[in-house]
Amino acid sequence: MKTLNERLDLIKPKILSDSFRKGRGLGNEINFWIFDYDAEDEMAMRSHIRFLKESIAAERDDTRLMVFDLFDMTVDYLTERGYLDRVLGMELEKKSGAIVNPIKKTLHSTLQDDVLVSRIAADNNPETDIILVCGVGKAWPAIRSHTILNNLHSRVEKTPLVMFFPGLYSDSELKLFGEITDDNYYRAFRLIER
């Protein structure tokens, strides 16, 4: 079993490899990957994602990492729409569970015009881009990782995508925080084995 640092060191060479970028060797599967990690390593992951973005931008002009934090995207959209204060007030008054469905409705989750999926899919170039999705644990339960992945299939099928997942991904099962079972997700590959 590899340590987190050993696994982190393998990410950059893997995502910059031609086979990863072109999706070769996947048997015509979609080029989606999951890097699972223990939830207590969240701060190290955030730091490493920043490092990846900065170092690859400095070293390569043929590669653009597009980093999407699901939580930050949600807060930004609620702010743009003028709903954030209302949602925070509702959370104070009625508890956290009361805001999940209103947030999902506002984001049009699972609908054709899903806000987060549309923003992730916008303006990506499969020749140069690699999409990194993070903030999964921060955005739960309003945003579900399998829903985002399922809805992105047809929108970014040729662009490689890595979701950083605080939990376990094995046998097509997503277990957030190692405890909460999300719906099964069969189409992603594990980026780096544990």
Side-chain angles (χ1 to χ4, degrees), residues 68 70 73 116-122 124 131 133 148 152 156:
F68 297 95
L70 299 176
M73 293 172 70
L116 300 184
V117 169
S118 296
R119 288 184 176 197
I120 293 170
N124 73 79
I131 296 171
V133 177
I148 294 292
L152 279 169
V156 297

Side-chain angles (χ1 to χ4, degrees), residues 2-38:
K2 297 177 184 79
T3 67
L4 176 67
N5 286 334
E6 290 170 332
R7 293 178 71 220
L8 294 177
D9 288 343
L10 297 172
I11 294 174
K12 188 174 174 181
K14 173 104 180 198
I15 66 175
L16 292 177
S17 72
D18 284 340
S19 60
F20 175 85
R21 303 274 303 278
K22 304 295 183 211
R24 283 190 222 119
L26 297 180
N28 265 347
E29 291 291 331
I30 198 154
N31 202 0
F32 280 20
W33 302 81
I34 293 178
F35 184 91
D36 60 345
Y37 59 94
D38 296 332

Side-chain angles (χ1 to χ4, degrees), residues 12-124:
K12 188 174 174 181
K14 173 104 180 198
I15 66 175
L16 292 177
S17 72
D18 284 340
S19 60
F20 175 85
R21 303 274 303 278
K22 304 295 183 211
R24 283 190 222 119
L26 297 180
N28 265 347
E29 291 291 331
I30 198 154
N31 202 0
F32 280 20
W33 302 81
I34 293 178
F35 184 91
D36 60 345
Y37 59 94
D38 296 332
E40 58 264 20
D41 295 324
E42 178 67 27
M43 299 315 283
M45 283 307 316
R46 290 181 196 178
S47 176
H48 195 74
I49 292 167
R50 274 191 307 276
F51 160 77
L52 288 171
K53 184 167 181 155
E54 292 167 5
S55 68
I56 291 172
E59 296 167 16
R60 307 273 302 251
D61 39 348
D62 66 337
T63 304
R64 178 175 71 156
L65 286 189
M66 300 177 64
V67 179
F68 297 95
D69 183 305
L70 299 176
F71 179 80
D72 291 346
M73 293 172 70
T74 300
V75 170
D76 290 348
Y77 187 72
L78 292 173
T79 302
E80 288 168 23
R81 302 287 302 196
Y83 295 151
L84 184 61
D85 289 337
R86 204 174 322 166
V87 167
L88 294 175
M90 186 185 309
E91 182 180 30
L92 283 173
E93 185 180 315
K94 298 180 182 179
K95 306 286 183 212
S96 294
I99 65 172
V100 172
N101 284 332
I103 289 173
K104 285 181 178 183
K105 278 180 126 170
T106 302
L107 294 173
H108 303 213
S109 293
T110 74
L111 299 176
Q112 187 68 21
D113 61 342
D114 182 306
V115 171
L116 300 184
V117 169
S118 296
R119 288 184 176 197
I120 293 170
D123 300 324
N124 73 79

